[in-house]
Each structure stands twice: as C-alpha cells, then as structure tokens.
Amino acid sequence: QVQLVESGGGLVQPGGSLRLSCVTSRNIFSFYGMGWYRQAPGKERELVARMLIDGNTYYADGVKGRFTISRDNTKNTVYLQMHSLKPEDTAVYYCGVTMIGKDYWGQGTQVTVSS
C-alpha cells in the first residue's frame, strides 16, 4: 500500500508561480515512475510531468519550459515547480506513482489561476 499526500495548491494570478509537493509513504526509489497529473472540469485527467527511477523526465507540450519536476529522496517527496502560470493551468493536480505495475494516486490539490 502506498499513501501520497499533495500540498501547495492555491489561487494565483496569471504569470505567478506555485510549488506542489507530494509526500509518499515509501522510499521514492520504490517507484518505477512518479508524476504529476491534472484534471480540469469536464476534461479527462492528463499527464503533466513524470520522472522515472533513472531520473529521466517527461513534460507535456503545454508546460515545457514552465514546469519542473524534481524529487528529494531524503524526504520521500516529489515536487512540481510551476512558473508563468496561465488560466488554462487551472485544475486539480494529482500525484501518481507506479510500483510493481500498479498505479497509486493522491487526493489532489486545487490550482486556480485567475486575476
């Protein structure tokens, strides 16, 4: 069993920044992949950024150059640093991990970008 707890969401103006955190109940090297996903109202959940166990990263086209995924294995935490936020980034952001072929999810944290 894996528990994931996200934090760091909130209301921010366009052009602003936020850093999301996801604390896991296991050593992060237990996971083949760790990622951030988001789901906007009326839309399907989409992958935003992902980091594999070897450190390779993937970013959705719409966030490249603005978002950065990172991890701190001493804190069992994965982060998503978001800059230059846009209204279309508004969504519930979820942390997701894959371990032994199974996916686990956090409860999500709301990010709202609005003036």
Side-chain angles (χ1 to χ4, degrees):
Q1 193 71 7
V2 178
Q3 282 77 48
L4 306 170
V5 179
E6 302 103 330
S7 62
L11 173 63
V12 63
Q13 292 186 342
S17 299
L18 283 174
R19 189 178 78 158
L20 306 182
S21 300
C22 172
V23 180
T24 74
S25 59
R26 285 180 174 263
N27 185 297
I28 61 174
F29 290 112
S30 301
F31 310 125
Y32 172 74
M34 304 184 69
W36 287 96
Y37 302 74
R38 67 187 181 188
Q39 187 167 19
K43 294 187 177 181
E44 294 186 353
R45 188 174 298 186
E46 62 176 357
L47 175 64
V48 175
R50 191 171 190 226
M51 177 179 283
L52 299 182
I53 191 170
D54 61 5
N56 285 330
T57 56
Y58 166 85
Y59 294 94
D61 287 343
V63 307
K64 285 180 181 177
R66 299 190 297 122
F67 291 10
T68 302
I69 187 170
S70 62
R71 65 191 178 194
D72 185 338
N73 56 297
T74 66
K75 297 180 179 179
N76 289 340
T77 300
V78 62
Y79 302 98
L80 184 69
Q81 179 68 56
M82 305 184 293
H83 294 297
S84 302
L85 283 161
K86 305 175 181 180
E88 51 262 44
D89 294 319
T90 295
V92 178
Y93 283 69
Y94 298 89
C95 176
V97 301
T98 302
M99 188 177 73
I100 315 177
K102 186 174 180 180
D103 294 332
Y104 298 86
W105 301 95
Q107 81 288 351
T109 185
Q110 177 70 46
V111 172
T112 302
V113 185
S114 175
S115 55

